[in-house]
Each structure stands twice: as C-alpha cells, then as structure tokens.
Amino acid sequence: MISRRLLLAAALPAAACSPLDIANGLTPGGGTALRPGIPYAPGERGRYDLYTPEGAGPASPLIVFFYGGGWTSGARGDYGFAARPLASLGALVAVPDYRLFPETRWPGFVEDGAAAVRAILAGPGTGRPVFLMGHSAGAFIALALALDPRWLGPAREALAGAIGLAGPYEFGPEDDPRGIFAGSPARRARAAPGSPEQLAGTPPLLLLQGEADDTVRPAQATRLAALARAHDVPVETRLYPGLGHIGIVAALASPVRTLGLEGAPVLEDVRHWLQGPAPRRA
C-alpha cells in the first residue's frame, strides 16, 4: 500500500507537490497529537509546533528539533515527517521556527533557538528530560546551545543531551560567501565556545554523520567528538557508510523506513541512545 502511494505521489507535477509534501503526506499521523504555532517570541518566526504521542506521561522526554536549510530556508510545518517518527519513540517533540538570513545573521538564529528552548523548558519541558536535536544548520544551533554557555546560561544545566545530524560545527569565511556569519569572531563559525574550559557542564552528545556526505564532511563530527572527549564531555559518534547529507534526515521518515530505503538505522540509534544511562532532568 505504501509503495503504491509513493508511486502515485511521484507522478504528481513537482510544482504541485514537493518532496517534503510527499514525505509529510505519507507519514502516519495516528497516535500523535499536534499543537501548532505556540509562541515563544514576537512574530511569525517566533513559534513552535508541539507533537505529543499517545500515552505520554509527565516524565516522558521532550526533543527540541531544529531543522536545516543553510540558515536561509525552512519552516516548522514541513518537518512532521521527522517529528512524528521521533514522537513514536515516546518523546514529545517541539519544532521551532527561527529567523533566517537575510532577516537576521549570526547570532540571531542561535539567540532565537535559545529563546525557544527557554520557553519550552519553562512550559511543556518542565520536569522532563529535554534533548536538543538538529539537522545540518539546525544541528549547528542545537549543538551551540548545548556546548556554549553564553546562549542559555544556567538553563543549559537542565538539558539532558544533544543530538547532531550532519552538522557543520566549524567553518571559516571561505565557506560563508553570503556573510551570514560576518559578525562572528574572525568570521569563523564555531558551535563550541572559544575557550574549551567553557565546555564544562555540556550534556551528553550523540553525533550522527553520513560518510558519503559531500555537503558537510564527516570530519566535522569526528573533530567535534575529539574536542568533547578531550574535555570529558560524554559523546558517541555514528558514521554511516554510503549515506549522504539529505539521506540522514530522510532516514527518519516512516515511508522511507517502511520500504527499507533509509540506508542507516538513524531512528533506532536515537532510540537506543535516549534509553541509555539516566539523563539529567529539568
């Protein structure tokens, strides 16, 4: 049944139905309640969607998922295909929007992420283990909030962990032709703080990366993992042979997994990691 629906969807004109539309349209919605557009800051970009799985209790974990898009594109409503499978793990899932270039530059989108996380910690995340997660540009935001205390301040201590999917955790001006990070020190973008001593208090990390990713090289994950280990931050890394930049987030989608096309057990690895040692709680 799913394969037939995929074939029908593939026959639709591209202008009428994007790959995200197809992924979301084929992702089962049963068993998960959606509360859209919860405000955390002024403006339409200052909102998040909250997915609550059936049977969730007051101690169920909550994942804050930041989508990618090079800090220039993306919308929370396009990521139900990722949020619903994550909710199937028994976790509430919040998907915030954040301001994009050219409306803002660094550190505006990181500050938006921090504002969203503070609001979620004080709201649906109260009393729960709260994990940050992101793909690509969203992984930069999630890991910056987990690694660098200047963004969340004392609220960082409430985080239970952070998960990065194919994140560009450090790059220079040669990788930033639009000047999105023009205001960063020496125009070098880093998720980690400038002083490694500030890594103290970083929650456990899970870094997932495709070895065939030619957008964000695997060295991004391995270098950050080495930095974390050197400063006693708990970190696990998974490198997936043959998996590319989009494939690592597409692997979360239910129709992709149903057809055995995910290429790597991304969702299962997230599940096992979440079920690991007792996490910190808010």
Side-chain angles (χ1 to χ4, degrees):
M1 178 65 175
I2 292 291
S3 58
R4 183 184 174 196
R5 290 170 66 187
L6 272 174
L7 289 170
L8 289 172
L12 294 174
C17 197
S18 73
L20 286 174
D21 292 331
I22 295 171
N24 286 311
L26 297 180
T27 298
T32 303
L34 169 61
R35 184 182 170 195
I38 303 170
Y40 72 83
E44 185 56 34
R45 301 293 300 182
R47 298 175 181 272
Y48 68 92
D49 292 348
L50 182 66
Y51 297 78
T52 302
E54 191 174 276
S60 297
L62 187 151
I63 298 170
V64 184
F65 181 86
F66 293 97
Y67 52 76
W71 304 283
T72 64
S73 65
R76 65 183 190 273
D78 290 337
Y79 283 84
F81 79 89
R84 292 187 185 278
L86 290 171
S88 75
L89 305 181
L92 286 74
V93 181
V95 183
D97 274 331
Y98 50 90
R99 288 173 296 163
L100 303 170
F101 177 83
E103 180 184 357
T104 193
R105 298 173 188 256
W106 180 93
F109 37 80
V110 182
E111 292 172 338
D112 289 355
V117 170
R118 287 194 194 95
I120 291 164
L121 285 169
T126 301
R128 303 178 185 278
V130 174
F131 297 85
L132 307 186
M133 181 177 183
H135 170 245
S136 194
F140 178 94
I141 295 173
L143 270 293
L145 297 177
L147 292 163
D148 193 332
R150 66 178 152 163
W151 305 120
L152 284 174
R156 185 174 71 130
E157 298 175 5
L159 299 179
I163 305 168
L165 280 66
Y169 305 117
E170 179 178 6
F171 53 93
E174 67 278 7
D175 305 307
D176 182 29
R178 297 189 180 188
I180 296 173
F181 287 84
S184 61
R187 286 196 62 188
R188 299 207 71 83
R190 299 182 79 245
S195 173
E197 290 74 20
Q198 293 178 303
L199 288 168
T202 297
L205 309 177
L206 175 64
L207 305 179
L208 307 179
Q209 176 69 44
E211 291 185 341
D213 190 334
D214 56 8
T215 301
V216 175
R217 300 296 185 184
Q220 290 277 351
T222 56
R223 282 199 300 264
L224 182 58
L227 177 67
R229 291 190 188 98
H231 293 85
D232 299 320
V233 174
V235 58
E236 296 184 30
T237 307
R238 303 280 188 277
L239 298 178
Y240 302 117
L243 199 64
H245 191 66
I246 300 303
I248 199 165
V249 68
L252 297 173
S254 299
V256 173
R257 290 182 292 105
T258 298
L259 292 173
L261 301 175
E262 70 271 30
V266 176
L267 189 65
E268 281 304 303
D269 285 347
V270 171
R271 181 199 304 273
H272 291 315
W273 188 77
L274 292 175
Q275 295 173 345
R280 302 190 305 195
R281 296 197 175 199

